Amino acid sequence: MADKEYYEKVAAISREIAKRSQDLVELSKDNKTFKKSELDGDTFIQSDESRQIDEIIQLLLSLTAELKRELSSPTNFLEELVACNWDKGALYCLLEHNILELLPKTGTVSLTELAEKTAIPPEKLLPILRLSVCNEILQEPINERFQHSIMSECLVNDSGLKAFIGFQLYETRAASVHLSDSLKRPNPTWTGKSAFRHAFPASKDYEYFISQSFPGMICQNYLFPEKLEDFNPPLCTSNEACIYIFNTILWILPDEDCVLILRSMAEILEKSKSSMLLINDLLSPPPGADSSFFDSDKAYRRRDVTVMTMHNAKVRTLKEWQAIFLQANPRFKLVANEYLAPQVGHTTSWSAHSCRGLWELKLGSSESDESDSDRGEVE
Protein backbone atom coordinates (compact mmCIF):
# COMPACT_ATOMS: atom_id res chain seq x y z
CA MET A 1 0.00 0.00 0.00
CA ALA A 2 1.38 3.40 -0.98
CA ASP A 3 2.21 5.82 1.84
CA LYS A 4 -0.49 8.29 0.79
CA GLU A 5 -3.16 5.60 0.64
CA TYR A 6 -2.05 4.23 4.01
CA TYR A 7 -2.21 7.62 5.77
CA GLU A 8 -5.59 8.36 4.21
CA LYS A 9 -6.92 5.05 5.54
CA VAL A 10 -5.55 5.72 9.04
CA ALA A 11 -7.01 9.23 8.97
CA ALA A 12 -10.41 7.95 7.85
CA ILE A 13 -10.53 5.39 10.67
CA SER A 14 -9.43 8.01 13.20
CA ARG A 15 -12.12 10.45 12.07
CA GLU A 16 -14.77 7.76 12.31
CA ILE A 17 -13.63 6.86 15.83
CA ALA A 18 -13.81 10.53 16.84
CA LYS A 19 -17.29 10.88 15.34
CA ARG A 20 -18.66 7.75 16.96
CA SER A 21 -17.07 8.65 20.28
CA GLN A 22 -18.82 12.00 20.20
CA ASP A 23 -22.10 10.23 19.41
CA LEU A 24 -21.57 8.10 22.51
CA VAL A 25 -20.89 11.20 24.61
CA GLU A 26 -24.10 12.85 23.41
CA LEU A 27 -26.19 9.76 24.11
CA SER A 28 -24.79 9.34 27.61
CA LYS A 29 -24.86 12.90 28.93
CA ASP A 30 -27.42 12.01 31.58
CA ASN A 31 -25.07 9.26 32.88
CA LYS A 32 -28.00 6.83 32.90
CA THR A 33 -27.90 5.53 29.37
CA PHE A 34 -25.32 2.84 29.92
CA LYS A 35 -23.39 1.30 32.77
CA LYS A 36 -20.61 -1.15 33.45
CA SER A 37 -21.76 -4.72 33.82
CA GLU A 38 -19.84 -7.38 35.72
CA LEU A 39 -21.46 -10.36 34.06
CA ASP A 40 -21.94 -9.26 30.49
CA GLY A 41 -20.99 -11.70 27.78
CA ASP A 42 -20.64 -9.42 24.78
CA THR A 43 -19.29 -6.02 25.67
CA PHE A 44 -17.98 -4.61 28.91
CA ILE A 45 -20.46 -1.74 28.69
CA GLN A 46 -24.07 -2.79 28.42
CA SER A 47 -26.89 -0.63 27.12
CA ASP A 48 -29.89 -0.04 29.38
CA GLU A 49 -32.18 1.92 27.10
CA SER A 50 -31.32 1.71 23.42
CA ARG A 51 -29.75 -0.67 20.95
CA GLN A 52 -28.21 2.39 19.37
CA ILE A 53 -25.71 2.55 22.21
CA ASP A 54 -24.77 -1.09 21.68
CA GLU A 55 -24.28 -0.55 17.96
CA ILE A 56 -21.95 2.41 18.58
CA ILE A 57 -19.96 0.41 21.13
CA GLN A 58 -19.54 -2.53 18.77
CA LEU A 59 -18.47 -0.21 15.96
CA LEU A 60 -15.96 1.57 18.20
CA LEU A 61 -14.45 -1.75 19.28
CA SER A 62 -14.13 -2.81 15.66
CA LEU A 63 -12.66 0.53 14.55
CA THR A 64 -10.12 0.72 17.36
CA ALA A 65 -9.00 -2.86 16.65
CA GLU A 66 -8.63 -1.97 12.97
CA LEU A 67 -6.65 1.15 13.84
CA LYS A 68 -4.37 -0.88 16.10
CA ARG A 69 -3.68 -3.32 13.29
CA GLU A 70 -2.93 -0.51 10.85
CA LEU A 71 -0.56 1.26 13.24
CA SER A 72 1.30 -1.92 14.20
CA SER A 73 4.17 -3.18 12.10
CA PRO A 74 3.87 -6.80 10.94
CA THR A 75 6.59 -7.77 13.42
CA ASN A 76 4.90 -6.05 16.36
CA PHE A 77 1.52 -7.49 15.44
CA LEU A 78 2.83 -11.07 15.25
CA GLU A 79 4.87 -10.73 18.43
CA GLU A 80 1.83 -9.47 20.33
CA LEU A 81 -0.29 -12.25 18.85
CA VAL A 82 1.87 -14.94 20.44
CA ALA A 83 3.10 -13.07 23.53
CA CYS A 84 -0.36 -13.24 25.10
CA ASN A 85 0.21 -16.95 25.72
CA TRP A 86 2.09 -15.94 28.87
CA ASP A 87 -0.89 -13.82 29.95
CA LYS A 88 -3.13 -16.85 29.60
CA GLY A 89 -0.70 -19.01 31.54
CA ALA A 90 -0.73 -16.52 34.41
CA LEU A 91 -4.54 -16.44 34.47
CA TYR A 92 -4.67 -20.24 34.49
CA CYS A 93 -2.42 -20.25 37.59
CA LEU A 94 -4.86 -17.91 39.35
CA LEU A 95 -7.75 -20.25 38.57
CA GLU A 96 -5.97 -23.55 39.24
CA HIS A 97 -4.71 -22.42 42.65
CA ASN A 98 -7.99 -20.66 43.60
CA ILE A 99 -6.09 -17.44 44.25
CA LEU A 100 -9.02 -15.21 43.31
CA GLU A 101 -11.11 -16.70 46.10
CA LEU A 102 -8.44 -15.68 48.61
CA LEU A 103 -8.88 -11.98 47.87
CA PRO A 104 -11.24 -10.14 50.23
CA LYS A 105 -14.48 -8.77 48.80
CA THR A 106 -13.34 -5.31 49.85
CA GLY A 107 -9.86 -4.04 50.56
CA THR A 108 -6.51 -5.58 49.72
CA VAL A 109 -4.42 -8.60 50.65
CA SER A 110 -0.63 -8.75 50.84
CA LEU A 111 1.66 -10.81 48.67
CA THR A 112 3.01 -12.48 51.81
CA GLU A 113 -0.43 -13.65 52.91
CA LEU A 114 -1.29 -15.00 49.46
CA ALA A 115 2.03 -16.83 49.30
CA GLU A 116 1.40 -18.44 52.68
CA LYS A 117 -2.13 -19.55 51.81
CA THR A 118 -1.17 -20.96 48.41
CA ALA A 119 2.23 -22.40 49.39
CA ILE A 120 3.68 -20.67 46.32
CA PRO A 121 6.98 -18.87 46.93
CA PRO A 122 6.41 -15.10 46.84
CA GLU A 123 9.17 -14.58 44.26
CA LYS A 124 7.23 -16.87 41.88
CA LEU A 125 3.77 -15.65 42.79
CA LEU A 126 4.53 -11.95 42.35
CA PRO A 127 5.26 -12.05 38.57
CA ILE A 128 2.05 -14.00 38.02
CA LEU A 129 -0.01 -11.49 40.00
CA ARG A 130 1.55 -8.48 38.31
CA LEU A 131 1.10 -9.87 34.81
CA SER A 132 -2.57 -10.36 35.71
CA VAL A 133 -2.68 -6.74 36.88
CA CYS A 134 -1.42 -5.66 33.45
CA ASN A 135 -4.47 -7.37 31.93
CA GLU A 136 -6.83 -5.82 34.53
CA ILE A 137 -7.65 -9.22 36.01
CA LEU A 138 -6.41 -7.90 39.36
CA GLN A 139 -5.48 -4.52 40.81
CA GLU A 140 -2.38 -3.49 42.79
CA PRO A 141 -3.27 -0.12 44.37
CA ILE A 142 -0.40 -0.42 46.88
CA ASN A 143 2.96 -2.06 46.30
CA GLU A 144 2.61 -5.85 46.74
CA ARG A 145 -1.01 -5.54 47.92
CA PHE A 146 -3.71 -6.85 45.60
CA GLN A 147 -7.44 -6.51 45.28
CA HIS A 148 -10.29 -7.57 43.02
CA SER A 149 -11.11 -6.00 39.70
CA ILE A 150 -14.49 -6.39 38.03
CA MET A 151 -12.94 -9.21 35.96
CA SER A 152 -11.82 -11.25 38.97
CA GLU A 153 -15.11 -10.64 40.79
CA CYS A 154 -16.90 -11.98 37.74
CA LEU A 155 -14.85 -15.18 37.84
CA VAL A 156 -15.41 -15.64 41.58
CA ASN A 157 -19.17 -15.05 41.36
CA ASP A 158 -19.78 -17.31 38.36
CA SER A 159 -18.42 -20.82 38.79
CA GLY A 160 -19.63 -21.81 35.32
CA LEU A 161 -17.66 -19.02 33.72
CA LYS A 162 -14.58 -19.94 35.74
CA ALA A 163 -14.85 -23.57 34.61
CA PHE A 164 -15.25 -22.52 30.98
CA ILE A 165 -12.27 -20.15 31.08
CA GLY A 166 -10.17 -22.82 32.77
CA PHE A 167 -11.05 -25.34 30.05
CA GLN A 168 -10.13 -22.85 27.34
CA LEU A 169 -6.84 -22.05 29.02
CA TYR A 170 -5.72 -25.66 29.39
CA GLU A 171 -7.48 -28.32 27.30
CA THR A 172 -8.05 -26.22 24.19
CA ARG A 173 -4.57 -24.71 24.26
CA ALA A 174 -3.00 -28.15 24.67
CA ALA A 175 -5.13 -29.47 21.81
CA SER A 176 -4.19 -26.56 19.55
CA VAL A 177 -0.51 -27.44 19.99
CA HIS A 178 -1.29 -30.92 18.62
CA LEU A 179 -3.30 -29.66 15.64
CA SER A 180 -0.22 -29.78 13.42
CA ASP A 181 0.51 -33.34 14.59
CA SER A 182 -2.96 -34.44 13.52
CA LEU A 183 -2.21 -33.17 9.99
CA LYS A 184 1.14 -34.93 9.52
CA ARG A 185 -0.30 -38.32 8.55
CA PRO A 186 -3.43 -39.60 6.80
CA ASN A 187 -6.21 -38.56 9.12
CA PRO A 188 -9.62 -38.34 7.42
CA THR A 189 -12.25 -35.98 8.77
CA TRP A 190 -14.85 -37.63 11.05
CA THR A 191 -13.20 -41.07 11.22
CA GLY A 192 -9.63 -40.05 12.08
CA LYS A 193 -8.06 -38.91 15.33
CA SER A 194 -8.60 -35.35 16.52
CA ALA A 195 -5.85 -33.09 17.80
CA PHE A 196 -7.63 -33.20 21.17
CA ARG A 197 -7.16 -36.98 21.24
CA HIS A 198 -3.46 -36.51 20.50
CA ALA A 199 -3.23 -34.28 23.56
CA PHE A 200 -5.58 -36.30 25.80
CA PRO A 201 -5.70 -39.90 24.52
CA ALA A 202 -7.51 -41.20 27.61
CA SER A 203 -10.39 -38.71 27.45
CA LYS A 204 -13.90 -40.01 26.95
CA ASP A 205 -16.42 -38.58 24.47
CA TYR A 206 -19.87 -37.53 25.51
CA GLU A 207 -20.89 -36.36 22.07
CA TYR A 208 -24.44 -37.60 21.80
CA PHE A 209 -26.99 -35.96 23.98
CA ILE A 210 -30.40 -34.30 23.89
CA SER A 211 -31.06 -32.02 26.80
CA GLN A 212 -33.95 -29.69 26.18
CA SER A 213 -36.65 -28.36 28.52
CA PHE A 214 -39.84 -26.57 27.48
CA PRO A 215 -42.27 -25.37 30.19
CA GLY A 216 -45.72 -26.88 29.80
CA MET A 217 -44.57 -29.70 27.55
CA ILE A 218 -43.85 -33.35 28.30
CA CYS A 219 -40.20 -33.90 27.40
CA GLN A 220 -38.24 -37.11 27.08
CA ASN A 221 -34.54 -37.42 26.32
CA TYR A 222 -33.48 -40.14 23.94
CA LEU A 223 -29.88 -41.38 24.05
CA PHE A 224 -28.22 -42.44 20.84
CA PRO A 225 -27.26 -46.12 20.69
CA GLU A 226 -23.63 -47.13 20.24
CA LYS A 227 -24.45 -48.41 16.74
CA LEU A 228 -26.25 -45.80 14.69
CA GLU A 229 -28.01 -48.47 12.64
CA ASP A 230 -29.85 -49.25 15.89
CA PHE A 231 -31.20 -45.71 16.05
CA ASN A 232 -34.94 -46.09 16.55
CA PRO A 233 -36.54 -43.21 18.49
CA PRO A 234 -40.02 -43.79 19.91
CA LEU A 235 -42.97 -43.19 17.63
CA CYS A 236 -45.50 -40.60 18.75
CA THR A 237 -48.45 -42.61 20.15
CA SER A 238 -50.52 -39.80 21.65
CA ASN A 239 -53.30 -37.94 19.89
CA GLU A 240 -51.18 -34.81 19.94
CA ALA A 241 -48.20 -34.08 17.74
CA CYS A 242 -44.68 -34.90 18.85
CA ILE A 243 -41.79 -32.48 18.44
CA TYR A 244 -38.46 -34.20 17.91
CA ILE A 245 -35.59 -31.88 18.82
CA PHE A 246 -32.00 -32.35 17.71
CA ASN A 247 -30.16 -29.72 19.70
CA THR A 248 -26.47 -29.58 18.72
CA ILE A 249 -26.38 -33.30 17.89
CA LEU A 250 -25.55 -33.88 14.22
CA TRP A 251 -22.54 -31.58 13.91
CA ILE A 252 -20.15 -34.23 15.28
CA LEU A 253 -21.36 -37.00 12.95
CA PRO A 254 -20.17 -37.80 9.42
CA ASP A 255 -22.54 -37.00 6.55
CA GLU A 256 -23.51 -40.64 6.02
CA ASP A 257 -24.49 -41.04 9.69
CA CYS A 258 -26.55 -37.86 9.58
CA VAL A 259 -28.34 -39.17 6.50
CA LEU A 260 -29.02 -42.50 8.23
CA ILE A 261 -30.50 -40.77 11.27
CA LEU A 262 -32.63 -38.36 9.25
CA ARG A 263 -33.98 -41.19 7.11
CA SER A 264 -35.18 -42.87 10.28
CA MET A 265 -36.79 -39.59 11.33
CA ALA A 266 -38.48 -39.29 7.94
CA GLU A 267 -40.09 -42.71 8.47
CA ILE A 268 -41.41 -41.52 11.83
CA LEU A 269 -42.77 -38.29 10.36
CA GLU A 270 -44.46 -40.37 7.63
CA LYS A 271 -46.39 -42.28 10.29
CA SER A 272 -47.16 -39.20 12.40
CA LYS A 273 -48.24 -36.49 9.98
CA SER A 274 -48.65 -33.79 12.65
CA SER A 275 -45.22 -34.32 14.16
CA MET A 276 -42.15 -32.29 13.24
CA LEU A 277 -38.40 -32.32 13.53
CA LEU A 278 -36.56 -29.27 14.89
CA ILE A 279 -32.82 -29.02 14.34
CA ASN A 280 -30.57 -26.48 16.03
CA ASP A 281 -26.94 -27.04 15.11
CA LEU A 282 -23.60 -25.44 14.35
CA LEU A 283 -23.30 -23.58 11.07
CA SER A 284 -20.31 -21.98 9.35
CA PRO A 285 -21.42 -18.68 7.77
CA PRO A 286 -19.58 -17.12 4.84
CA PRO A 287 -17.17 -14.27 5.67
CA GLY A 288 -18.98 -11.00 6.28
CA ALA A 289 -22.38 -12.62 6.77
CA ASP A 290 -22.82 -11.28 10.30
CA SER A 291 -21.58 -8.05 11.85
CA SER A 292 -23.90 -8.03 14.86
CA PHE A 293 -21.06 -8.14 17.37
CA PHE A 294 -17.40 -7.20 17.56
CA ASP A 295 -15.06 -9.44 15.53
CA SER A 296 -17.87 -11.85 14.63
CA ASP A 297 -15.98 -13.24 11.64
CA LYS A 298 -12.99 -14.08 13.82
CA ALA A 299 -15.27 -15.77 16.36
CA TYR A 300 -16.83 -17.98 13.69
CA ARG A 301 -13.49 -18.85 12.10
CA ARG A 302 -12.19 -19.76 15.56
CA ARG A 303 -15.18 -22.07 15.94
CA ASP A 304 -14.31 -23.74 12.61
CA VAL A 305 -10.73 -24.41 13.79
CA THR A 306 -11.93 -25.47 17.27
CA VAL A 307 -14.19 -28.16 15.83
CA MET A 308 -11.41 -29.42 13.57
CA THR A 309 -8.87 -29.43 16.41
CA MET A 310 -11.00 -30.88 19.21
CA HIS A 311 -13.16 -33.32 17.25
CA ASN A 312 -11.57 -33.87 13.82
CA ALA A 313 -14.84 -32.66 12.34
CA LYS A 314 -15.96 -29.62 10.36
CA VAL A 315 -18.66 -27.00 10.79
CA ARG A 316 -20.98 -27.38 7.81
CA THR A 317 -22.15 -24.55 5.60
CA LEU A 318 -25.83 -23.94 4.92
CA LYS A 319 -25.64 -25.68 1.52
CA GLU A 320 -23.91 -28.68 3.07
CA TRP A 321 -26.68 -29.04 5.66
CA GLN A 322 -29.38 -28.78 3.01
CA ALA A 323 -27.66 -31.40 0.87
CA ILE A 324 -27.80 -33.79 3.83
CA PHE A 325 -31.50 -33.09 4.40
CA LEU A 326 -32.40 -33.77 0.78
CA GLN A 327 -30.17 -36.84 0.54
CA ALA A 328 -31.95 -38.27 3.56
CA ASN A 329 -35.33 -37.70 1.93
CA PRO A 330 -36.07 -35.59 -1.16
CA ARG A 331 -39.47 -34.81 0.35
CA PHE A 332 -37.95 -33.00 3.34
CA LYS A 333 -38.92 -29.35 3.25
CA LEU A 334 -38.11 -26.42 5.49
CA VAL A 335 -41.35 -24.99 6.79
CA ALA A 336 -41.20 -21.30 5.86
CA ASN A 337 -42.58 -19.07 8.55
CA GLU A 338 -41.38 -16.11 10.56
CA TYR A 339 -39.81 -18.03 13.41
CA LEU A 340 -38.48 -21.18 11.78
CA ALA A 341 -37.54 -20.06 8.30
CA PRO A 342 -34.00 -21.05 7.27
CA GLN A 343 -31.79 -18.52 8.92
CA VAL A 344 -28.40 -17.86 10.40
CA GLY A 345 -28.43 -16.89 14.04
CA HIS A 346 -25.78 -16.58 16.71
CA THR A 347 -25.37 -17.03 20.42
CA THR A 348 -23.47 -14.42 22.36
CA SER A 349 -23.36 -15.80 25.89
CA TRP A 350 -20.05 -16.19 27.68
CA SER A 351 -19.90 -19.90 26.84
CA ALA A 352 -19.01 -19.36 23.18
CA HIS A 353 -19.70 -17.46 20.02
CA SER A 354 -21.24 -19.89 17.58
CA CYS A 355 -23.35 -19.48 14.50
CA ARG A 356 -26.49 -21.59 14.52
CA GLY A 357 -28.70 -23.11 11.86
CA LEU A 358 -32.37 -23.36 12.86
CA TRP A 359 -34.56 -25.71 10.86
CA GLU A 360 -38.07 -27.13 11.08
CA LEU A 361 -38.34 -30.19 8.86
CA LYS A 362 -41.53 -31.80 7.62
CA LEU A 363 -42.32 -34.18 4.79
CA GLY A 364 -44.00 -32.85 1.69
CA SER A 365 -46.94 -34.75 0.24
CA SER A 366 -44.87 -35.97 -2.69
CA GLU A 367 -41.59 -35.14 -4.40
CA SER A 368 -43.33 -33.63 -7.41
CA ASP A 369 -45.28 -31.22 -5.20
CA GLU A 370 -42.17 -29.68 -3.73
CA SER A 371 -40.63 -26.58 -5.23
CA ASP A 372 -37.07 -25.49 -4.57
CA SER A 373 -38.34 -22.71 -2.31
CA ASP A 374 -40.40 -25.20 -0.28
CA ARG A 375 -37.25 -27.20 0.32
CA GLY A 376 -35.36 -24.14 1.44
CA GLU A 377 -32.79 -24.20 -1.35
CA VAL A 378 -30.27 -21.38 -1.13
CA GLU A 379 -28.60 -20.00 -4.21
Side-chain angles (χ1 to χ4, degrees):
M1 183 183 296
D3 288 347
K4 182 179 179 181
E5 184 181 353
Y6 168 73
Y7 288 123
E8 287 178 350
K9 182 176 182 180
V10 169
I13 297 172
S14 301
R15 285 193 295 268
E16 187 67 15
I17 290 175
K19 180 179 181 300
R20 296 298 180 177
S21 298
Q22 186 58 40
D23 292 342
L24 190 61
V25 170
E26 293 298 324
L27 288 169
S28 58
K29 279 185 175 178
D30 59 2
N31 294 320
K32 297 179 181 179
T33 307
F34 62 87
K35 65 179 180 179
K36 292 181 178 180
S37 173
E38 296 180 5
L39 297 176
D40 175 50
D42 270 332
T43 55
F44 185 59
I45 300 175
Q46 185 178 42
S47 173
D48 283 341
E49 300 176 3
S50 172
R51 293 187 62 182
Q52 186 178 5
I53 291 289
D54 288 327
E55 292 171 359
I56 293 175
I57 291 171
Q58 297 295 337
L59 183 57
L60 280 171
L61 288 171
S62 179
L63 287 168
T64 52
E66 184 179 3
L67 183 61
K68 180 179 179 180
R69 287 192 295 267
E70 291 295 334
L71 295 178
S72 299
S73 69
T75 300
N76 289 339
F77 176 81
L78 292 172
E79 287 178 348
E80 180 62 26
L81 184 65
V82 298
C84 64
N85 282 318
W86 303 112
D87 307 17
K88 296 171 183 176
L91 176 57
Y92 184 72
C93 288
L94 297 183
L95 302 185
E96 186 70 5
H97 292 272
N98 296 313
I99 294 174
L100 301 181
E101 287 78 4
L102 299 177
L103 273 64
K105 291 184 178 180
T106 59
T108 64
V109 62
S110 70
L111 170 65
T112 302
E113 185 175 350
L114 289 175
E116 290 175 352
K117 290 182 177 180
T118 60
I120 300 175
E123 66 272 15
K124 291 187 175 182
L125 182 57
L126 182 60
I128 293 171
L129 295 172
R130 282 187 167 161
L131 182 53
S132 300
V133 169
C134 292
N135 289 303
E136 300 185 12
I137 304 299
L138 296 175
Q139 295 178 349
E140 187 183 11
I142 304 172
N143 185 45
E144 296 190 358
R145 295 195 67 87
F146 298 90
Q147 67 182 23
H148 276 299
S149 70
I150 291 181
M151 303 295 182
S152 61
E153 287 179 348
C154 183
L155 289 166
V156 170
N157 293 332
D158 192 332
S159 59
L161 174 58
K162 180 183 176 182
F164 167 74
I165 297 299
F167 176 82
Q168 293 294 323
L169 291 173
Y170 180 62
E171 282 86 347
T172 58
R173 285 206 301 154
S176 68
V177 172
H178 289 78
L179 176 58
S180 62
D181 293 335
S182 71
L183 303 174
K184 290 179 180 178
R185 58 187 66 85
N187 189 30
T189 301
W190 307 112
T191 57
K193 185 178 181 181
S194 70
F196 186 81
R197 291 295 166 259
H198 280 273
F200 303 100
S203 298
K204 184 178 179 180
D205 284 318
Y206 293 94
E207 302 293 358
Y208 311 126
F209 65 94
I210 297 179
S211 178
Q212 192 75 35
S213 176
F214 297 97
M217 297 180 67
I218 299 175
C219 298
Q220 178 181 358
N221 289 343
Y222 176 82
L223 298 179
F224 278 85
E226 292 187 5
K227 296 181 179 180
L228 292 181
E229 55 266 29
D230 296 332
F231 175 76
N232 186 28
L235 180 66
C236 184
T237 57
S238 65
N239 294 327
E240 298 180 351
C242 287
I243 302 175
Y244 297 91
I245 301 171
F246 282 23
N247 184 27
T248 319
I249 296 296
L250 301 176
W251 67 275
I252 191 62
L253 301 177
D255 291 357
E256 55 269 25
D257 290 345
C258 292
V259 170
L260 179 66
I261 291 170
L262 292 175
R263 280 178 180 165
S264 298
M265 293 306 305
E267 295 175 1
I268 290 176
L269 296 180
E270 184 73 54
K271 298 174 182 177
S272 180
K273 301 294 186 181
S274 299
S275 296
M276 67 179 66
L277 171 61
L278 303 183
I279 298 177
N280 172 14
D281 223 313
L282 297 179
L283 183 69
S284 181
D290 181 18
S291 59
S292 59
F293 63 93
F294 172 61
D295 255 359
S296 55
D297 265 346
K298 181 184 289 186
Y300 296 146
R301 302 292 79 82
R302 281 174 174 168
R303 174 64 61 181
D304 292 344
V305 175
T306 297
V307 169
M308 178 176 63
T309 301
M310 304 297 282
H311 308 286
N312 195 41
K314 74 182 295 289
V315 184
R316 296 180 176 94
T317 65
L318 186 57
K319 284 189 175 182
E320 288 171 335
W321 276 116
Q322 291 173 328
I324 288 175
F325 298 155
L326 295 182
Q327 185 180 349
N329 193 309
R331 291 170 54 198
F332 264 140
K333 68 176 182 178
L334 303 179
V335 179
N337 58 50
E338 183 178 356
Y339 175 59
L340 292 167
Q343 58 182 288
V344 176
H346 68 276
T347 62
T348 53
S349 67
W350 57 260
S351 58
H353 285 88
S354 63
C355 194
R356 317 295 300 184
L358 307 174
W359 298 281
E360 175 185 343
L361 295 179
K362 280 192 171 184
L363 287 179
S365 55
S366 68
E367 184 174 357
S368 60
D369 292 338
E370 302 302 327
S371 66
D372 287 345
S373 60
D374 288 333
R375 294 176 187 166
E377 294 289 346
V378 174
E379 298 298 330

